[in-house]
DNA sequence: GTGGTCTAGACCACA
DNA sequence: GTGGTCTAGACCACG
């Protein structure tokens, strides 16, 4: 799986990394049980500091996307609907919805975008 | 309209402010044409520095939510579907969708959440 | 002659006023000898403070575009190539040129724009 | 590259800074890929506050002249003909042209000045 | 060491 | 009285 980092982005590199790994899991380029590269290996590949990779892995670990094993390194998990997943997602969606409402987007238009985004991630055709 | 700032949050104060004003516009507690408090006034009310408020207003201005009027101060605008609004929104929704997919959420479940969030912002009942 | 003021612009109102009067003289909607409205009259028409109009007139007077007579009010002059007109114009053109060069604009392209802008002001067809 | 700030000018320092950097890029004293001094370094060199430099850099970043790179600091970009570059330039040129017309300058004279300014920036001989 | 955030306070331009 | 500019200094996030 290819990861692209934009060091000019306003978004911190560790967040970019986390996001891309989440995207990778979503569209099955990364599957549960699969090992992730070691912190130092990935850092070297991307030309970034290994602390940065470490921070990204820690975030993913906190949210249940991966497990970090001292011996086996990081492996992808089957994410469970963890304790605070739905509230977190809802907060993000509410802000999206608020922006949509401000821009006069109707419910149907909004749902259309939501559906398209879901399909894009799932890698399937929108129904 | 009541604005709450959490100075202990990791999210910058000026972003919290911007978000809350966007929420306020979405659910019509702030209506187009309405003037916002002056930067110094709002800063005093919130117990923060006026530069911080000014930065929030600048962000809102850039995104077309408000206008800084030389004579009337900041006023709420009817946000137009500005040049890069849809791409921005899509990026946010895609990350939401990716997280949902990772957590085995089906399209219907995801859309259910989206619908609920839209209704919550619009201040109407979900259909 | 119709003057439009945008109080939401970042540009001060008195500069907008001055600019529009210069445009008016350039394309002959205002001709030498013609009287301008009184400061208070124009301020009332535009719904702005008369100090603002006064400042705009002062700028125009400094640059030789108008004369302010205590009795007759402001009248349009035939602008002479005053002492510091060319240097002022050159400074502005140099900054334009610098931006053009930065954006890879060739000399021909730049001159094409210059010619078009001149023609637009003169109200004639570009040669 | 030498930068001179006139703290007594009516023009804000951050704009003076921005302008001089644009001039520097135009005449190749600053080349794409080249790193700019850090905000604090340049501020110290110029004897001004680093916030002021930061604002200048932010403006340049918005207009595509430089990029703020998380790892390398600010670096000069090859400015692309961004979305609103031509309209911005045209507005400036139109005001120049209007002033020229007011002062009886002919099209040929005007273009002569434009050509000279372009050549001065490009650092080449006028044709 | 870099830029970003926040605070505090002074001064000015604008209207 | 409004926002904009500039300064000064502290603290933090990032890499």
């Amino acid at each position: 799986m290819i990861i692209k980092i934009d060091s000019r982005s306003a978004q911190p590199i560790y967040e970019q990394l986390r996001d891309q790994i989440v995207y990778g899991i979503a569209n099955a380029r990364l599957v549960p049980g699969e090992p992730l590269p070691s912190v130092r290996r990935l850092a070297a590949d991307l030309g970034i500091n290994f602390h940065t990779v470490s921070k990204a892995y820690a975030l993913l670990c906190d949210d249940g996307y991966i497990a970090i094993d001292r011996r086996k390194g990081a492996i992808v998990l089957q994410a469970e609907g963890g304790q605070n997943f739905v509230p977190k997602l809802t907060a993000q969606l509410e802000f999206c919805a608020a922006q949509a409402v401000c821009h006069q987007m109707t419910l149907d238009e909004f749902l259309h975008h939501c559906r398209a985004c879901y399909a894009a991630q799932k890698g399937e055709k929108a129904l």
Side-chain angles (χ1 to χ4, degrees), chain A residues 107-120:
Chain A
L107 174 59
D108 281 347
E109 289 170 333
F110 181 63
L111 290 181
H112 172 76
H113 283 292
C114 293
R115 184 189 301 269
C117 290
Y118 184 94

Side-chain angles (χ1 to χ4, degrees), chain A residues 9-99:
Chain A
S9 164
Q11 190 182 30
I13 295 176
Y14 73 87
E15 284 187 6
Q16 294 181 46
L17 236 183
R18 180 215 35 195
D19 290 359
Q20 297 208 29
I21 292 174
V22 169
Y23 284 127
I25 299 174
N27 59 31
R29 281 175 312 204
L30 293 172
V31 295
E34 182 172 348
L36 254 38
S38 76
V39 167
R40 283 181 168 74
R41 181 90 192 86
L42 184 52
D45 288 351
L46 297 174
I48 62 180
N49 193 295
F50 76 91
H51 289 115
T52 307
V53 179
S54 189
K55 182 155 186 177
Y57 279 13
L59 286 184
L60 290 162
C61 194
D62 287 345
D63 287 341
Y65 290 104
I66 66 173
I68 296 180
D69 185 290
R70 188 172 295 276
R71 288 179 286 185
K72 291 179 287 184
I75 60 170
V76 176
L77 292 183
Q78 176 59 271
E80 301 299 329
Q83 55 288 10
N84 43 19
F85 164 64
V86 171
K88 271 192 180 178
L89 179 66
T90 300
Q92 295 173 60
L93 283 176
E94 278 183 343
F95 189 55
C96 289
Q99 294 170 80

